[in-house]
Amino acid sequence: GDANLWKMLNHAVISKSESPNPKVRRAAVKIVKSFYETVGEEFLVLLPETIPFIAELMEDTDEHVEAEVQGLIAVVEKLTGEDLDSYLQ
């Protein structure tokens, strides 16, 4: 598979969550969500390194970022068939 390429892409996008600009953070979430939507189950190998990104942005000060994160969680939960709450503790 393309796991190494995905890992690099995922990391590059996740690093944008540090941006002071909420539009950039929101775009990062949208892109990560699209990775899971497009690649599907195979992308779940990167879930462990994506969880801290999700957890951090769930607490985002911008409501649009937070809403986007909820969408990402829904996509991941559909793929895993489990509730992410246990991972996000």
Side-chain angles (χ1 to χ4, degrees), residues 1-12:
D2 300 309
N4 285 340
L5 181 60
W6 295 342
K7 195 179 178 85
M8 283 174 13
L9 276 170
N10 196 48
H11 184 77

Side-chain angles (χ1 to χ4, degrees), residues 33-45:
K33 186 172 98 178
S34 73
F35 289 157
Y36 283 97
E37 288 170 334
T38 307
V39 178
E41 283 183 24
E42 289 178 67
F43 211 78
L44 291 173
V45 296

Side-chain angles (χ1 to χ4, degrees), residues 16-25:
K16 297 295 180 203
S17 66
E18 307 293 319
S19 171
N21 184 337
K23 286 184 176 159
V24 173
R25 297 194 305 273

Side-chain angles (χ1 to χ4, degrees), residues 25-62:
R25 297 194 305 273
R26 185 175 173 201
V29 177
K30 278 185 161 175
I31 294 166
V32 170
K33 186 172 98 178
S34 73
F35 289 157
Y36 283 97
E37 288 170 334
T38 307
V39 178
E41 283 183 24
E42 289 178 67
F43 211 78
L44 291 173
V45 296
L46 297 174
L47 188 57
E49 63 191 56
T50 308
I51 290 289
F53 163 79
I54 293 173
E56 188 183 325
L57 292 180
M58 279 174 72
E59 309 291 318
D60 201 277
T61 50
D62 186 279

